[in-house]
Amino acid sequence: MRRAALLVLLAAGCHQASDIPTFRVESVRFARRVTADGNLKSTKATPLSAPTDAPGQLKIAWIVPDGALLKKDEVVVRFDPTDYETQLQAGREDHDTAGNKLFKGNSEASTTRTNLRRDARQATDELLAARQFKFDDAEVFSRYQRVESQIDETLAGHKKEHAEGVLGVRAKLSAADRDLVNIEQRKADLKIRNAEQGLHALEMRAPYDGILVLQHDWRGDVVRVGDTVWPGSPIGEIPDLNSMKAEVFVLEADAAGLAVGEKATLTIEGKPGSLITGKISQVDKLARPRFPRVPVQYFGATITLDHTDPTLMKPGARVRAVLDVENRESAFSIPRQAIFEKQGKKLVYRKHGDTFDAVVIEIGSSSAGRVVVTKGLAKGDEIALRDPSEEKDA
């Protein structure tokens, strides 16, 4: 039924040509271009990162401004030594405290061992005396004297065993105390080593002459005085000014057909007349937001430049690019206003004598004001720029 309605519509599309403006279909070159903006970036650069041998976070106390010219071995960043100086002082104090504890413990242990050994010797002498002067002759000594002698011998033996047992326990306790103090001393030594290591990593120097380009975070900010960074964190880079590329962003809605190898023309912001050519060498697989909390999606693209002019082009400079996402040598490109949609079909009104016939077409690529027709028209066809049926109804 829908097809029948469409046939009725096409039949009704025959109208007088009258004063309706028309367009003659010709095979012409069709180009679709999109705009993008971004920044210049060096293709080769030496990264500058926070010292990896630092034992912890580093606080920036001074840093060279972004874009500053550097000389080899010139200081780029200085870090705040306060935390490491405090840690070093605390480590030395802990080391001295542990040393005092160890000396005191050794002295007390030595005194205790001396006293316990004396007690053990005295108990041994008492045991020997009790055994030597043992009253075990029942005919000579009374029962009371024999029992008392036996008790003295047993007591002397117990005293000897106790003194020797306490001496062994005290030796183990002293060893455990020494081990604990040694652990404290090793912890203090580690704190001292870390602090000294940090104090030796308080400066970053330029490896060679160049220009400093500081690293931008996801908010677009660079590191500054007062920021803390982890060891190995990127701070910036020194780019090779003789080889540049452009990183640009294309709106997701305009990115259809964006591909590697397409031509690009760039201008540098603030430098009129700066025309740079190149080709797209890389396109992101997925669109992503370019700015935080802004849902607009962009495709990132890298443009390899045909030449680099160090006197004109600097890393980080903003550029505006025109990308040739489609370029056909021959295509039927017609004005967008000549296409009409009826019952889900795209139509044009082709002139036939003094009337217009509705013709179903298929379209391909399009630009802001032009559409490529891939099926339904032929060279020389003359099509209406206004809907003839509306002219008749009027």
Side-chain angles (χ1 to χ4, degrees):
M1 182 174 180
R2 184 173 179 180
R3 183 176 179 183
L6 180 60
L7 292 174
V8 171
L9 174 65
L10 295 179
C14 301
H15 301 288
Q16 296 296 322
S18 64
D19 297 328
I20 296 176
T22 60
F23 174 82
R24 183 174 294 276
V25 177
E26 299 289 346
S27 180
V28 296
R29 182 172 183 175
F30 175 80
R32 186 168 71 89
R33 297 181 174 88
V34 298
T35 58
D37 58 72
N39 301 87
L40 292 178
K41 189 174 183 180
S42 176
T43 57
K44 295 182 291 184
T46 300
L48 296 176
S49 304
T52 56
D53 55 349
Q57 282 186 314
L58 294 163
K59 182 181 291 185
I60 297 175
W62 177 86
I63 187 169
V64 172
D66 191 19
L69 293 175
L70 300 175
K71 296 293 184 182
K72 183 179 180 180
D73 295 328
E74 181 180 352
V75 176
V76 179
V77 183
R78 285 195 181 95
F79 298 101
D80 188 357
T82 304
D83 291 343
Y84 290 117
E85 290 174 346
T86 302
Q87 184 179 345
L88 179 62
Q89 181 65 27
R92 288 172 175 171
E93 291 175 356
D94 291 347
H95 186 275
D96 292 341
T97 300
N100 293 333
K101 283 184 180 180
L102 187 60
F103 178 78
K104 181 181 178 181
N106 289 336
S107 299
E108 291 177 350
S110 177
T111 302
T112 302
R113 284 196 301 271
T114 300
N115 294 334
L116 290 174
R117 286 170 181 165
R118 182 195 60 205
D119 294 344
R121 287 196 299 271
Q122 182 177 351
T124 301
D125 293 341
E126 291 177 359
L127 179 61
L128 292 176
R131 288 175 177 174
Q132 184 176 1
F133 301 103
K134 189 174 182 180
F135 302 138
D136 56 354
D137 192 341
E139 295 180 357
V140 177
F141 302 104
S142 65
R143 176 180 175 81
Y144 176 79
Q145 289 175 319
R146 294 198 304 274
V147 170
E148 185 179 19
S149 174
Q150 183 64 37
I151 292 173
D152 290 343
E153 181 180 355
T154 303
L155 179 60
H158 288 332
K159 289 174 66 177
K160 177 178 180 297
E161 291 176 0
H162 175 72
E164 291 175 346
V166 171
L167 182 62
V169 171
R170 290 303 304 176
K172 292 180 179 179
L173 289 176
S174 296
D177 290 340
R178 284 195 302 273
D179 290 341
L180 291 175
V181 174
N182 285 333
I183 290 174
E184 292 180 9
Q185 200 165 40
R186 288 196 294 271
K187 288 172 63 178
D189 291 339
L190 178 60
K191 188 181 293 185
I192 292 172
R193 284 197 302 271
N194 287 342
E196 290 176 342
Q197 190 173 345
L199 290 172
H200 284 92
L202 292 178
E203 289 185 347
M204 289 175 54
R205 296 180 178 271
Y208 50 80
D209 295 353
I211 184 172
L212 174 65
V213 177
L214 293 178
Q215 178 85 13
H216 290 258
D217 61 15
W218 63 272
R219 293 186 297 267
D221 298 330
V222 298
V223 291
R224 53 176 58 89
V225 173
D227 289 349
T228 55
V229 295
W230 288 100
S233 297
I235 290 179
E237 62 183 19
I238 301 178
D240 180 0
L241 302 181
N242 295 313
S243 179
M244 306 287 285
K245 62 182 178 181
E247 293 184 348
V248 298
F249 297 88
V250 181
L251 279 169
E252 183 180 21
D254 295 335
L258 188 66
V260 172
E262 292 169 346
K263 295 181 179 180
T265 305
L266 298 86
T267 55
I268 301 176
E269 189 175 278
K271 296 183 179 180
S274 55
L275 197 63
I276 308 165
T277 58
K279 289 184 179 180
I280 298 175
S281 57
Q282 182 178 338
V283 178
D284 288 350
K285 301 297 183 183
L286 297 173
R288 65 181 188 274
R290 186 178 175 187
F291 305 104
R293 297 182 292 277
V294 177
V296 181
Q297 302 278 332
Y298 293 84
F299 278 94
T302 301
I303 300 173
T304 299
L305 306 180
D306 293 336
H307 71 279
T308 299
D309 184 356
T311 62
L312 181 67
M313 303 159 64
K314 302 297 181 186
R318 290 185 59 82
V319 295
R320 187 166 184 82
V322 177
L323 311 178
D324 292 337
V325 295
E326 187 172 357
N327 198 337
R328 299 190 184 191
E329 292 294 335
S330 177
F332 291 150
S333 172
I334 67 174
R336 187 179 291 273
Q337 69 191 81
I339 300 176
F340 306 93
E341 187 167 344
K342 301 291 179 68
Q343 295 185 356
K345 298 290 185 179
K346 296 192 182 304
L347 311 172
V348 297
Y349 288 98
R350 181 170 55 196
K351 188 174 182 181
H352 181 72
D354 293 332
T355 62
F356 288 95
D357 298 332
V359 178
V360 178
I361 61 170
E362 293 181 9
I363 65 173
S365 303
S366 63
S367 61
R370 311 284 289 187
V371 178
V372 173
V373 177
T374 59
K375 188 176 180 180
L377 291 178
K379 182 178 179 179
D381 285 346
E382 196 170 347
I383 57 176
L385 295 177
R386 291 204 306 264
D387 189 345
S389 62
E390 293 180 358
E391 293 289 326
K392 182 178 179 181
D393 294 340

